[in-house]
Amino acid sequence: MTASASPPSRSFRTVAPVIALCWLAVFFDGMDVNIYGAVMPHLLDDPGLGFSPGTAGTVGSWTTFGMLIGALAAGTLTDWLGRKPLVTGSVVLFSLGSALCAAAPGAEVFGAGRFLSGLGLGGLMPIGLAIVAEFAPPRRAALATGLMMTSYHAGGMAATGIGLAVAPEHGWRWVFWAGVLPAVIAVPLVTRWLPESPGVLFAKGRADQAYAVADRYGLDRPVAAEAPEAGAKGRMTAIGALFAPGTRLATPLLWVASFAGLLLVYGVSTWLPELMRASGYSLSSSVTFLMVINAGGIVGMLVAGRTADRFGPVKVSATWFLLTAAGAFLLRAQLPLGVAYTVVFITGVWLFSAQVMVYAATSRVYAPGERATGLGWVTGVGRTGAVVGPWLGGMVIAGGDAGLGFTTFAVAAVLGAVAISLVPLARRAGRGPVPRQRAVLAGAAD
């Protein structure tokens, strides 16, 4: 069998099973991340757990520190071990972490459970993004990314719904027991139906299987120049390529944009209910704001994906960051409840998809053999923002100034807008003599 055979046409219908499985896995990712914020008021009100706002912020940072380690490890190991095993392992890890939280006798064990969950949550996202970028129809990668990421916010809404329905009557522990469901539901489906990356199969010397997967889903058959190089040398080569001509200046800017975006995503997901409660809203209304902002996130993913396929993910991400800053600043005011719900929903439209379009831009910056590593490092380094966000929110809440919290999020959004806006300029400034394939990819990203 040769690599020259023409693949069939690729469409959303062809790759729908792959995107659907990634959607399901990331749905549970979003549910697990948002469970913490959804039950935060109940955790703080439980005298036996020993939580204070400062402790809660620190535990939230343990979660995102685990995500940082998970994302960096997954981005580097996925092209070596394969993407399918790492998806399965990631889901198992954050399910086990949720079970540990549900059974935790105190804050220390609870924090260990959140750290374990973070390892799995951090590993899953870059792998899912890389899979979707590889299998997406031509010129529809941003839309496919947005479609997949609607699942994160659907999971967030599910977590909020479970928190509202279960925690008041049965306690917060049963909400975390619901976080064990991913291991029961998603793992068997992923194990049975998710295909391995043709590039990874080809790099492992399994060319026939690689061609079969590529032909089945309408992908181009992998060739040596596109396949990730195997072994430790291959992993170091992929990391070194992040600072090659054409990417050496863009890479740190992508990291900064991801830092700002993830500070927003995880800071808001963790602390929005408490910020709204500190602004004078009731407990039930404050938790409902988390559901409303995730509903806006679903709409935003669909809008951003289609818009980015037309105008480019860099322009969309920068604009969305600035609109997020405006929404966060508006929330400083004590608005009537209906107006506050509207502002939170609209802010959700921009906030989450601004970060996802950073990932879509990253997929266009790096060549196929470097894409998983590039996404892993962008999400991994960006997780420092996810570590800072919950901790910073806890410090602000402990000081009793909700307005300062919203101002902090607005400033982070402006930082993200500036960083992502400079990526095309950095690519042109840093670009030297490059292979034709990389030059084509660079033009598409700009």
Side-chain angles (χ1 to χ4, degrees), residues 4-411:
S4 60
S6 299
S9 61
R10 193 183 344 162
S11 66
F12 273 111
R13 181 178 179 181
T14 307
V15 300
V18 178
I19 295 177
L21 286 169
C22 291
W23 192 99
L24 179 64
V26 175
F27 170 87
F28 286 120
D29 183 309
M31 190 176 87
D32 195 283
V33 168
N34 284 275
I35 275 178
Y36 188 50
V39 301
M40 180 65 70
H42 301 282
L43 295 173
L44 294 171
D45 292 342
D46 184 347
L49 191 63
F51 260 46
S52 67
T55 302
T58 301
V59 169
S61 293
W62 291 352
T63 311
T64 49
F65 182 66
M67 291 179 181
L68 186 156
I69 296 173
L72 292 178
T76 304
L77 296 177
T78 182
D79 291 325
W80 175 41
L81 299 175
R83 296 176 186 177
K84 184 174 179 177
L86 284 179
V87 168
T88 304
S90 296
V91 173
V92 169
L93 274 178
F94 66 72
S95 297
L96 289 175
S98 190
L100 187 58
C101 288
E108 294 80 6
V109 176
F110 186 96
R114 291 307 291 167
F115 177 79
L116 183 62
S117 290
L119 291 175
L121 295 167
L124 178 62
M125 188 65 72
I127 303 169
L129 290 166
I131 292 171
V132 169
E134 181 176 12
F135 281 80
R139 297 179 297 280
R140 291 293 181 268
L143 177 58
T145 301
L147 285 171
M148 187 196 77
M149 289 302 296
T150 61
S151 62
Y152 178 91
H153 304 288
M157 293 178 68
T160 307
I162 293 170
L164 287 170
V166 175
E169 291 291 329
H170 305 286
W172 59 265
R173 294 182 186 275
W174 281 104
V175 180
F176 280 96
W177 282 122
V180 180
L181 290 174
V184 178
I185 298 173
V187 168
L189 294 173
V190 168
T191 302
R192 175 68 179 85
W193 297 107
L194 184 68
E196 185 54 88
S197 161
V200 172
L201 292 171
F202 188 86
K204 291 182 174 183
R206 296 156 62 182
D208 287 349
Q209 294 179 43
Y211 297 155
V213 172
D215 291 347
R216 179 177 179 182
Y217 293 98
L219 279 65
D220 294 329
R221 288 181 170 185
V223 296
E226 296 179 353
E229 188 176 352
K233 179 181 177 182
R235 295 192 294 280
M236 294 306 299
T237 299
I239 293 172
L242 306 184
F243 298 95
T247 59
R248 62 168 63 103
L249 299 179
T251 290
L253 287 170
L254 290 168
W255 289 357
V256 172
S258 185
F259 168 89
L262 287 171
L263 187 154
L264 285 166
V265 168
Y266 290 95
V268 169
S269 295
T270 301
W271 287 110
L272 181 63
E274 278 300 302
L275 284 172
M276 300 309 288
R277 187 159 74 156
S279 298
Y281 300 96
S282 68
L283 174 60
S284 60
S285 295
S286 297
V287 174
T288 305
F289 279 113
L290 194 59
M291 180 176 288
V292 171
I293 201 168
N294 277 291
I298 291 176
V299 175
M301 293 301 169
L302 298 174
V303 173
R306 294 185 67 86
T307 307
D309 279 332
R310 181 174 180 182
F311 297 104
V314 167
K315 293 178 181 177
V316 172
S317 181
T319 303
W320 268 221
F321 270 127
L322 292 175
L323 291 168
T324 298
F329 194 78
L330 279 175
L331 289 173
R332 286 175 48 90
Q334 292 185 341
L335 303 169
L337 183 60
V339 176
Y341 278 137
T342 302
V343 173
V344 167
F345 177 85
I346 294 173
T347 302
V349 171
W350 316 125
L351 187 156
F352 298 104
S353 50
Q355 169 64 24
V356 172
M357 290 304 106
V358 173
Y359 298 149
T362 301
S363 296
R364 298 190 182 190
V365 167
Y366 301 113
E370 306 151 9
R371 189 171 292 140
T373 299
L375 282 165
W377 278 81
V378 167
T379 56
V381 175
R383 294 291 179 188
T384 57
V387 172
V388 170
W391 169 82
L392 191 59
M395 295 301 99
V396 171
I397 288 292
D401 189 350
L404 178 60
F406 290 119
T407 300
T408 301
F409 292 142
V411 171

